[in-house]
């Protein structure tokens, strides 16, 4: 830690050395599959979840995880996943309860940091005010409950897309936060805006004196690096302080970067492998898109073949990306567990070195929720390759029972909030609800497009007229029977 602080101080005096140059960007078009040499089996840890976004372990081995629809849950001896926190969040494509990190001194102070989106302001009809914002708050774990919230930072622009958000403590004891461009790409380049940045805060939310832009007039002192599009993975090498980052690109161009103090990662001026003076091109660039989520550096004992590797959860890639690492060089990208788990959002290692990962099928538009989704799965060394009870990993090509067009429309556009049959999830049961804003089929269809943004239902310009009609007919039918 001291060593790393020393290096940061040196960099603060001069311009950061460009460790990564455009010429070194490696473009990756196809991922070969890999298998683990260690015999292993999959075990289902939890199921019927709604996008478990972050997974972590308390010192006693209890699993703590966020669920995008507004929960933090504990699972382990004495904890049965009853919510430790249930918070009203603004839910959207990529919005809700997102990042989570434990305080480096969690064992003594029991602090847990979470990031979630909310509807901004008391007066949401004020057009000048941003509707959705990301807030990072510190809670204290008391028994089974997260209590005493203290907001560390708020007002980070959020949107149904591109909202980050990963929280990670560095070996320097500071909290690092990824933010998306919130669908306003130019702001990623603006130092007076918090969109499209990696932020660095003290544990109490104050701004560290050695942040790069604290003395730049007009700049937000929280900023550590900028020019990001939608970074969702952040992993430190605690020994060297090297910070690896994964980021979603536009139409492919997904990135793996090493993040350095004050550096500009180019979005939206450059993307893919493009180069520009004063901007960093990625270390690795993936086209077509693999959609990288959380990243870790594996150093567990359970799977020696993964030691020292960078591992990244893949949403579109439906597996785990494994990269060899030699200092600041990453090579030999390949894919693990591409065997029907579907979209994978987060990966972590348990105290025993087992791999835990979570699926992300309840992502409107891209996801295809199946029975029992979403899952948390762990991978355990075992000579008996038993498949965990209840679930057989499905062949990536053979889809489960096909959905009817109506079910498909609901799964794509509504299920993440209202449940697969619209009988309620994090948003109301639409079968028994007495509608407040809907008067006839036409106003119902209009509501599907325009949403109720002030009340947590985002607009959905992607829904087709056919889909609106199918859902309206379905709702009329089930509501009449009720
Ligand atoms: C991102 C979450 C989300 C998605 C996706 C979503 N909704 Fe909603 N919806 C909500 C929330 C939250 C409310 C409750 C607003 C309130 O009353 O406070 C709501 C309310 C409604 C209402 C009640 C309106 C009334 O008059 O009371 C209807 C009808 C509805 N949604 C239909 C749909 C349909 C159909 C879809 C899919 C095409 C959909 N919603 C997708 C979150 C969502």
């Amino acid at each position: 830690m001291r060593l790393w602080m020393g290096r940061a101080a040196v960099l603060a005096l001069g311009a950061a050395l460009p460790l990564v140059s455009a010429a070194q960007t490696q473009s990756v078009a196809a991922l070969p599959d890999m298998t683990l040499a260690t015999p292993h089996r999959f075990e289902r840890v939890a199921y019927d979840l709604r996008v478990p976004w972050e997974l972590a372990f308390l010192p006693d081995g209890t699993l703590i995880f966020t669920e995008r629809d507004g929960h933090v849950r504990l699972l382990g001896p004495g904890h049965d996943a009853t919510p430790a926190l249930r918070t009203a969040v603004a839910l959207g494509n990529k919005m809700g309860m997102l990042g989570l990190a434990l305080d480096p001194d969690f064992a003594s102070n029991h602090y847990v940091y979470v990031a979630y989106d909310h509807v901004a302001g008391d007066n949401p009809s004020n057009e000048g005010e941003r509707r959705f914002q990301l807030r990072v708050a510190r809670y204290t774990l008391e028994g089974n409950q997260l209590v005493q919230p203290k907001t560390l930072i708020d007002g980070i622009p959020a949107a149904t897309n591109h909202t980050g958000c990963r929280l990670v403590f560095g070996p320097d004891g500071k909290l690092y936060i990824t933010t998306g461009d919130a669908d306003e790409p130019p702001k990623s380049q603006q130092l007076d805006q918090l969109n499209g940045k990696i932020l660095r805060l003290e544990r109490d939310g104050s701004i560290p004196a050695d942040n790069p832009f604290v003395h730049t007039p007009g700049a937000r002192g929280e900023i550590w690096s900028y020019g990001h599009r939608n970074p969702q993975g952040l992993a430190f090498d605690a020994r060297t302080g090297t910070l690896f980052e994964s980021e979603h690109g536009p139409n492919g161009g997904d990135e793996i970067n090493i993040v350095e103090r004050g550096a500009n990662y180019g979005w939206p001026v450059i993307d893919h492998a493009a180069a520009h003076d004063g901007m960093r091109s990625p270390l690795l660039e993936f086209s077509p898109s693999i959609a990288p989520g959380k990243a870790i550096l594996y150093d567990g004992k359970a799977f020696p073949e993964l030691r020292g590797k960078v591992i990244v959860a893949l949403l579109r890639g439906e597996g785990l990306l494994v990269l060899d690492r030699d200092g600041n060089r990453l090579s030999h990208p390949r894919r693990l567990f591409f065997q029907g788990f579907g979209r994978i959002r987060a990966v972590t290692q348990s105290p025993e070195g087992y791999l835990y990962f979570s699926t992300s099928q309840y992502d409107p538009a891209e996801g295809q929720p199946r029975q029992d989704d979403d899952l948390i799965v762990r991978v355990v060394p075992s000579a008996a390759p038993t498949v965990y009870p209840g679930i057989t990993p499905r062949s990536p090509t053979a889809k489960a029972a096909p959905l009817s067009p109506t079910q498909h429309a609901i799964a794509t556009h509504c299920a993440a909030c209202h449940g697969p049959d619209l009988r309620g999830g994090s948003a109301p049961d639409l079968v028994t609800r007495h509608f407040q804003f809907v008067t006839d089929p036409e106003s119902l269809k209009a509501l599907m497009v325009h949403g109720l943004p002030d009340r947590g239902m985002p607009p959905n310009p992607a829904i087709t007229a056919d889909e609106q009609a199918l859902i309206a007919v379905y709702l009329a039918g089930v509501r009449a029977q009720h």
Side-chain angles (χ1 to χ4, degrees), residues 149-339:
K150 173 185 181 326
T151 297
L152 299 195
I153 185 169
D154 202 348
I156 300 172
T160 52
N161 248 320
H162 301 188
T163 302
C165 166
R166 197 63 58 193
L167 303 184
V168 168
F169 273 96
D172 55 358
K174 314 290 191 229
L175 179 62
Y176 291 74
I177 303 164
T178 70
T179 74
D181 69 11
D183 295 339
E184 301 176 307
K187 294 198 173 161
S188 294
Q189 287 294 323
Q190 296 174 17
L191 290 175
D192 59 347
Q193 302 288 332
L194 295 176
N195 321 30
K197 305 295 185 313
I198 292 174
L199 311 178
R200 178 177 182 254
L201 297 182
E202 300 286 0
R203 296 184 217 185
D204 64 1
S206 63
I207 296 175
D210 61 346
N211 268 9
F213 301 110
V214 280
H215 302 302
T216 306
R220 294 290 302 247
E222 297 92 338
I223 297 172
W224 182 250
S225 64
Y226 64 110
H228 299 287
R229 184 172 178 272
N230 193 23
Q232 285 187 357
L234 213 48
F236 271 102
D237 178 335
R239 207 174 42 81
T240 61
T242 309
L243 177 55
F244 294 97
E245 178 246 24
S246 68
E247 179 167 335
H248 298 272
N251 305 314
D254 291 338
E255 300 184 1
I256 307 289
N257 294 297
I258 287 180
V259 169
E260 289 188 281
R261 180 181 186 279
N264 180 353
Y265 289 80
W267 176 254
V269 181
I270 51 169
D271 52 61
H272 293 71
H276 192 286
D277 267 0
M279 297 181 185
R280 303 295 174 86
S281 305
L283 216 53
L284 295 176
E285 173 261 324
F286 295 83
S287 296
S289 171
I290 53 172
K294 183 180 172 182
I296 60 167
L297 261 78
Y298 181 85
D299 63 0
K301 294 204 167 61
F303 298 105
E305 63 271 52
L306 294 177
R307 280 189 71 98
K309 314 276 186 225
V310 172
I311 302 180
V312 186
L314 299 182
L315 294 153
R316 193 159 308 172
E318 303 193 347
L320 299 178
L321 172 69
V322 178
L323 298 165
D324 290 349
R325 176 189 172 206
D326 179 8
N328 285 340
R329 269 178 45 84
L330 295 176
S331 59
H332 297 106
R334 51 219 189 273
R335 178 167 50 176
L336 191 59
F337 306 150
F338 178 56
Q339 51 198 87

Side-chain angles (χ1 to χ4, degrees), residues 91-92 413-414 417-418 427-428 430 433 435-438 444 447-448 452 455-458 463 471:
L91 257 180
H413 298 291
C414 325
C417 304
H418 293 287
L430 298 179
R433 178 183 173 103
F435 285 152
Q436 283 177 271
F437 308 101
V438 168
L444 174 59
L447 182 138
M448 292 184 213
L452 295 165
R455 312 179 70 102
M457 177 167 163
I463 191 167
I471 295 170

Side-chain angles (χ1 to χ4, degrees), residues 414 418 422 430 435 437-451 457 463 467-477 479:
C414 325
H418 293 287
L422 302 185
L430 298 179
F435 285 152
F437 308 101
V438 168
T439 46
D440 55 32
E442 288 315 306
S443 63
L444 174 59
K445 290 182 200 167
L447 182 138
M448 292 184 213
V449 178
H450 301 298
M457 177 167 163
I463 191 167
E467 289 170 323
Q468 293 162 36
L470 287 171
I471 295 170
V473 168
Y474 165 80
L475 268 183
R479 286 173 68 86

